[in-house]
Amino acid sequence: MTLSNLTTHLRQEDAAHHLHPFTNTRELNGRGVRVITKASGVHLTDSEGHRILDGMAGLWCMALGYGRSEIVQAVTKQLEELPYYNTFFNTTHPSVVEMSRLLSEVTPPQFNHFFFTGSGSESNDTILRMAAYYWDLMDQPERKIFISRRGGYHGSTVAAAALGGFGSMHKQGGVPVGNIFHAPQPSWWEEGGDLSPEDFGRKVANDTLALIDGIGSKRVAAFIGEPIQGAGGVIIPPATYWPTLAAGLKERGILLISDEVICGFGRTGNWFGCETMGTEPDFMTMAKGITSGYVPMGAVAVSDKVADVLIAKGGEFAHGYTYSGHPAACAAGVAVLNLLRTEKVIERVRDDIGPYLQAKWRMLADHPMVGEAVMTGMIGSIRLTPNKASRASFPEAADVGMATRNFSFDNGLVMRAVGDRMVLAPPLVLTHAEADELMEKAVRTLDMSMAAQRKAGLMA
Ligand code: PXG
C-alpha cells in the first residue's frame, strides 16, 4: 500500500512533536501512527479512507456515537452565550445548575450533590481529599487508608495512579502517595483454580475484608472499585463478589466508592454499574459517558450521608479546578442526558441490543483460541488461550493480544488488547446490523490470529 502525501506528512509531524499517552514513542515512530480523520455513527475513517467499526466507543466514552448534531448544537449555543465563567467565588451559571439537577434525577436516590472536574483522574483525586476531610469532620481522623484492587484503573494523576493497581505505573515516577493498599481482583478464569465462580467471588471478597482487618478497619477511610474492571481487561466479577464485599464494608463503617467512569451512563444496562451489581456507594466517580466524550468533563457524586456532614459541619473545602462546571461541558452533558432519556438508550442496552450482542459474543467461547467470552450490558471481553482445557496463557513476550488487535484493525474493527484479553465496549447506539458486522469481523480476526499463532508454534 502506498500512503497518501497527507498521511506521510501527518505521520512525520506527529513523530516530530507529539508525545502520546501510554505509548513507547520510539516504537510508534518506527512503525508510523494511524491517522483518524473523520467519524460518523459507529464508524471511523482513517486518512487512507479505510472505514473501521469502533468497537471501543473511542476510549470507552462515545456512548451515543459520532456526529450527534444535538450535542454539537447545544455546545455551540453555549459557547456563543457564555463560553466560560467560573463556579468559585459565589457564582454559578444556568448550564451547571441544569446539569446538577439532571444528575440528581438519573443517579441512585442517595446522590443529590455533585462536584465537577475535568476528568476521571481529577474526580478520584477529589474523592480522596473529600473522603479524608469527611472523616476529619466525623472526629475519626485516623481513617486515612484507601483500599483499591490489583488491576484496577483509576487514572493517571499522581494520586489516581497510586490508587490504581498497575505495577507498571507505580514503578515510573515514584507515585509517592502512601496510605493505599491493593486487594485481590475477582478474576475467576485467571485465578479461580478449582473453585466455582460463586465460591471464588466470596473468597476474594472475604480475603479483601481480612486484609482490611489486618490493617485495622478503623483506619480505613474507603474502598474504591470499578463495578466491572475496564482497563484491567473487563473482569466481570462472580455474582457473589460485590454483595459479600459491600456488606462487609458496611459492617466496618467503611465508605464505598464506585468508579463509574466506564460503567456509568448505561454501559452495563442500567444508569450506573453499582445498580447492576447491587451496591449502594457513598461516592461515584464519573467521566467519559457523562458527555459521551464530546467535551472533557468529570464529576463526583456525593451521597447525602457525606454531603450533609460536609455542609453542616465543614468549612471551606479548599479544592477546585478552573474548569469545574465548565459551561460548554455542562451543555454537552445536559444534551447527552436528555438524549439517553428520550431515545431510551439504556433500556435498549438492557432489553434489546445488549442481549443481542451478548448472545453472539458468548458464542466466541466455542472458538479454539478463546478460554471465556463474557459480556454484561455492552462491555465484554474474551480471554485468548493456546489451550482452554488447561486454562493456559500464551508466553508474555509473544504479545498475542497486541497481534490480535492489529489483525482486528486490519479487518476494520477496533478491539483493544489488555494482555491476552480482547475487550469490547462499542457505542450503545449500535444497530443489529452493525452488531452482525462487528461479530463477523471479530470471528475473522480470531481465525487470522489463530493461524498466525499455529504457524509460530504457539498453539497446537
Ligand atoms: N477511572 C476509570 C475506571 C477509568 O477507566 C479513569 C478513572 C480516569 O479517567 P481520565 O478521564 O482521567 O482518563 C479511567 C480512564 C484504556 C484506558 O487503555 C482507560 C482509561 C483511560 C485511558 C486508557 O483502557 N480510563
Side-chain angles (χ1 to χ4, degrees), residues 245-266:
L245 181 58
L249 294 172
K250 204 167 201 173
E251 266 169 33
R252 290 162 178 77
I254 294 166
L255 299 174
L256 173 60
I257 305 162
S258 189
D259 187 332
E260 300 275 352
V261 169
I262 285 177
C263 292
F265 302 96

Side-chain angles (χ1 to χ4, degrees), residues 189-190 368-372 383-396 400 420-421 458-460:
W189 198 89
E190 284 83 359
M369 197 184 172
V370 174
E372 70 167 2
R383 178 58 155 83
L384 304 178
T385 175
N387 184 336
K388 55 170 103 197
S390 64
R391 287 200 242 166
S393 292
F394 285 106
E396 213 173 300
V400 172
D420 285 347
R421 258 177 201 273
L458 293 174
M459 179 173 177

Side-chain angles (χ1 to χ4, degrees), residues 59-60 119-121 124 153-155 226 231 259 261-262 287-288 416:
L59 204 43
W60 320 83
S119 66
S121 305
N124 279 327
Y153 186 77
H154 300 295
E226 303 151 75
D259 187 332
V261 169
I262 285 177
K288 294 189 191 279
R416 206 164 107 43

Side-chain angles (χ1 to χ4, degrees), residues 316-328:
E316 174 183 318
F317 178 46
H319 181 87
Y321 304 103
T322 303
Y323 300 125
S324 287
H326 191 287

Side-chain angles (χ1 to χ4, degrees), residues 205-255:
N206 286 325
D207 287 351
T208 304
L209 296 170
L211 171 77
I212 288 170
D213 291 338
I215 294 164
S217 64
K218 294 222 156 17
R219 295 172 60 213
V220 175
F223 176 93
I224 182 166
E226 303 151 75
I228 293 172
Q229 277 173 248
V234 182
I235 308 296
I236 301 179
T240 47
Y241 171 77
W242 274 118
T244 311
L245 181 58
L249 294 172
K250 204 167 201 173
E251 266 169 33
R252 290 162 178 77
I254 294 166
L255 299 174

